[in-house]
Amino acid sequence: MFQNTKNIKPFEKKVWLSSPTMHGDEQKWVNDAFVKNWITTAGENINEVEKIVAERIGVKYAVALSCGTAALHLATKLAGEKLYGQAKPNCGTLQGHKVFCSDMTFDATINPVAYEDGEAVFIDTEPDTWNMCPKALEKAFEIYPDVRLVVVAHLYGIPGKIDEIREICNCHGALIVEDAAESFGATYKSKETGGFGDFGAISFNGNKIITGSSGGMFLTNSKEDADKVRKWSTQSREAAPWYQHEEIGYNYRMSNIIAGIVRGQMNYLDEHIAQKRAIYERYKKGFEGLPVTMNPFDSANSVPNYWLSCMLIKPEAMCRQVRSENEPMYIAEKGKTCPTEILETLAKFNAEGRPIWKPMHMQPIYRMNPFVTANGNGRGQSNAYIDCGEANDVGADIFARGLCLPSDNKMTPEQQDIIIEIIRSCFE
Ligand SMILES: *Cc1c(COP(=O)(O)O)cnc(C)c1O
């Protein structure tokens, strides 16, 4: 093992998973806010960024918020209010109702269901795009026919099968909250992600495809919904000379400084996507002959933004690996490897990878929540945990065999070639 890495030295400067890439225009708009003294949650940068993001995604309205999580929270709250009516001040709008949620995602996607007192029912992942499995969603509606809300994410910048999901939701009169935090700029059937749901969310967190250091946007085609979210995000003030409140409010509005950074970054979204795509393709080529696949997408219907390049090790090339709640362990084996070994090896050479998002149904905090797989098994059903082969718990399998690769758009082709060599050495 590792014979070929003998002559490789660790990177002097760390190669990141995905770090911010600034171009200079950002500084200009931040300075503009300083000069005009709009150092607050209002100003030209906010208005402009709302306009250009709505135009890009093809929705009528975008509301600039402090983060993607805030956008998802208000989207989920709004969905609950539409479905079940306005809640009492000390209650969430979901009031104990079940909500179908993507399972393999960041917890920010689905925590808002808990904020609003709903119960997340996790829907298994499908192997084709690593997103919510439409078949499992259909099964879930068979098991829980009263559910009226689906929260769905597009992972790592690859669109899920959102039109199949939309069709299923239409059949059951369900609303969709669409989490496009990782997929800004990706399209499905030529339409931008974030615009498919009844309510959408994107994020400008520091490691996303473009960033404001933080920030997010709520997306909708309804003026009424946009106005409501804007009102909630600024402490729910009523039209009155004093601070008058009829509803619970939040301090979720985007700052005009952050908006300046986002405004500058918007011109470079397509450039970043092109760079991330080149990284994905370089990995794909570099791994030829290895028992691995890249994170897959539906090339007939979708154009990803390639935010993170990921790989999946074939079962026959996996050495033994176990993970407790907070520690991994593996047994090295000739000709085989595992995500833990690869991540440790990358770290040794000063490069940053990351495990796949650990599925929500495997998280201690959600261990009592139902989980539905494509074959209708899973957790919380009468036949829970019957082993039915491949269709059982796709998410756990991708978590075990997959990992996110260094995908920074400032990584040079030479650095990436070295990373490919380091990874190849793990299979020796
Ligand atoms: C980053 C991210 C979020 C949250 O965005 P923040 O701006 O960090 O609050 C939500 N969902 C997914 C899938 C994400 O990757």
Side-chain angles (χ1 to χ4, degrees):
M1 284 181 65
F2 305 123
Q3 287 306 310
N4 294 337
T5 58
K6 266 192 197 142
N7 299 320
I8 300 176
K9 285 201 225 48
F11 295 106
E12 245 167 70
K13 253 178 79 185
K14 184 164 181 169
V15 178
W16 297 96
L17 182 76
S18 181
S19 72
T21 304
M22 294 293 123
H23 303 272
D25 306 27
E26 302 86 354
Q27 186 84 59
K28 190 177 94 192
W29 295 117
V30 169
N31 287 350
D32 188 67
F34 269 74
V35 169
K36 295 177 177 158
N37 201 35
W38 284 97
I39 310 292
T40 183
T41 50
E44 252 173 47
N45 286 337
I46 296 177
N47 301 339
E48 191 57 28
V49 130
E50 286 185 339
K51 210 180 86 201
I52 52 187
V53 167
E55 270 167 18
R56 169 71 193 226
I57 294 185
V59 290
K60 290 206 183 107
Y61 305 96
V63 182
L65 300 174
S66 56
C67 59
T69 308
L72 286 160
H73 182 193
L74 297 186
T76 304
K77 179 184 168 85
L78 187 58
E81 187 169 290
K82 281 183 189 280
L83 292 165
Y84 309 116
Q86 201 180 334
K88 291 194 218 95
N90 60 345
C91 294
T93 61
L94 292 170
Q95 306 172 30
H97 291 280
K98 287 185 166 58
V99 176
F100 295 150
C101 298
S102 284
D103 177 55
M104 198 174 83
T105 184
F106 185 34
D107 71 340
T109 309
I110 55 101
N111 279 343
V113 171
Y115 302 164
E116 291 303 319
D117 297 338
E119 185 192 2
V121 173
F122 298 114
I123 309 300
D124 200 11
T125 306
E126 44 104 6
D128 302 357
T129 72
W130 294 8
N131 287 303
M132 182 184 279
C133 172
K135 276 198 210 99
L137 180 63
E138 249 176 305
K139 275 278 179 240
F141 274 114
E142 280 171 29
I143 301 166
Y144 306 104
D146 297 335
V147 170
R148 290 292 173 269
L149 180 58
V150 175
V151 180
V152 57
H154 305 282
L155 219 63
Y156 302 131
I158 288 178
K161 293 178 180 163
I162 191 68
D163 61 346
E164 280 181 52
I165 289 169
R166 168 51 84 190
E167 209 171 295
I168 296 166
C169 287
N170 287 351
C171 281
H172 296 273
L175 299 175
I176 296 178
V177 170
E178 185 188 8
D179 179 356
E182 298 180 2
S183 66
F184 185 29
T187 60
Y188 190 82
K189 297 190 175 167
S190 305
K191 198 175 145 183
E192 299 261 335
T193 58
F196 287 90
D198 296 277
F199 322 100
I202 55 170
S203 164
F204 302 114
N205 175 298
N207 72 6
K208 299 283 151 74
I209 190 96
I210 63 164
T211 182
S213 71
S214 63
M217 290 233 178
F218 169 85
L219 309 163
T220 179
N221 284 313
S222 151
K223 178 164 192 310
E224 199 188 327
D225 292 348
D227 289 344
K228 180 127 223 184
V229 163
R230 200 174 290 110
K231 177 187 168 194
W232 282 347
S233 75
T234 48
Q235 303 292 20
S236 295
R237 291 175 62 183
E238 299 298 330
W242 46 83
Y243 279 72
Q244 177 82 5
H245 301 288
E246 292 175 11
E247 296 180 277
I248 290 295
Y250 303 85
N251 183 4
Y252 276 179
R253 194 74 165 130
M254 184 184 277
S255 140
N256 195 46
I257 302 285
I258 303 283
I261 305 177
V262 176
R263 187 175 178 183
Q265 287 261 287
M266 274 303 290
N267 295 330
Y268 298 92
L269 175 59
D270 290 316
E271 184 180 312
H272 288 193
I273 293 172
Q275 290 164 337
K276 297 272 190 181
R277 179 180 173 167
I279 290 169
Y280 180 96
E281 279 166 2
R282 199 170 190 92
Y283 275 129
K284 194 166 179 175
K285 191 144 192 311
F287 292 153
E288 270 171 17
L290 285 186
V292 303
T293 50
M294 297 292 291
N295 45 338
F297 60 94
D298 173 1
S299 56
N301 293 312
S302 68
V303 182
N305 73 4
Y306 300 92
W307 174 55
L308 292 190
S309 288
C310 305
M311 64 183 265
L312 190 68
I313 302 167
K314 295 209 166 136
E316 63 272 19
M318 279 283 290
C319 67
R320 277 186 289 172
Q321 169 194 251
V322 290
R323 283 165 166 158
S324 74
E325 289 302 347
N326 41 31
E327 261 186 325
M329 184 83 93
Y330 67 93
I331 301 174
E333 197 177 332
K334 202 170 156 43
K336 297 185 177 187
T337 188
C338 61
T340 305
E341 184 176 51
I342 294 175
L343 291 170
E344 281 181 4
T345 309
L346 286 171
K348 247 191 271 174
F349 288 95
N350 207 19
E352 184 187 33
R354 189 158 75 184
I356 297 297
W357 296 124
K358 181 172 176 175
M360 289 301 123
H361 79 278
M362 298 169 75
Q363 300 286 356
I365 189 164
Y366 291 119
R367 67 186 168 276
M368 301 305 281
N369 291 52
F371 168 58
V372 181
T373 63
N375 57 21
N377 291 315
R379 184 165 69 198
Q381 284 84 66
S382 55
N383 48 0
Y385 286 125
I386 296 171
D387 183 6
C388 289
E390 280 184 32
N392 234 19
D393 208 339
V394 174
D397 181 44
I398 296 173
F399 176 60
R401 295 193 286 121
L403 69 137
C404 306
L405 299 160
S407 305
D408 196 58
N409 52 357
K410 292 174 297 313
M411 173 172 66
T412 64
E414 293 74 32
Q415 288 176 316
Q416 195 180 346
D417 286 343
I418 293 171
I419 285 168
I420 290 166
E421 222 182 300
I422 291 167
I423 291 170
R424 292 194 82 94
S425 78
C426 294
F427 287 89
E428 283 164 13

